Amino acid sequence: MPLLKPASLTYLVNHALSLAQSVHFEGECFPFFLYDLKRHQDALNALLFENKTPSLRALIKAVNAHSISVPKGLSQSLLNVNTPFEYALIS
């Protein structure tokens, strides 16, 4: 996520703290804020028991993370780059 801005993380963290729960942006796995690890310890242990390498989507579901809307002006900062084609789109 080379375009990720501090404002995006600040927005995410502030929502997690105000809701007192884990959050992620709607339709996105990254970035993700895990709120109160101890609260989710049993759910996370169960997830790891089922699958030694769970996906982030499975983790988000296991902790019942709240999905928040991406604020206007920050959606571009959530673009992920995994291929040369995707990199060309942001260059």
Side-chain angles (χ1 to χ4, degrees):
M1 303 182 93
L3 302 177
L4 188 63
K5 299 194 181 318
S8 300
L9 296 175
T10 299
Y11 189 83
L12 190 73
V13 169
N14 286 341
H15 270 75
L17 295 176
S18 70
L19 296 170
Q21 78 178 80
S22 301
V23 298
H24 66 100
F25 287 116
E26 189 174 278
E28 304 288 341
C29 288
F30 294 108
F32 167 67
F33 186 95
L34 180 61
Y35 184 87
D36 193 3
L37 181 60
K38 287 186 179 186
R39 178 194 314 173
H40 301 295
Q41 194 165 2
D42 290 340
L44 295 173
N45 285 335
L47 179 64
L48 287 173
F49 183 76
E50 292 173 19
N51 183 345
K52 296 294 180 204
T53 58
S55 68
L56 189 53
R57 289 188 198 285
L59 180 117
I60 287 169
K61 185 178 178 182
V63 300
N64 197 27
H66 183 73
S67 176
I68 61 172
S69 298
V70 178
K72 260 189 173 175
L74 293 181
S75 62
Q76 285 292 97
S77 74
L78 300 179
L79 293 175
N80 201 356
V81 175
N82 293 310
T83 67
F85 176 76
E86 290 171 333
Y87 180 74
L89 293 175
I90 66 164
S91 301

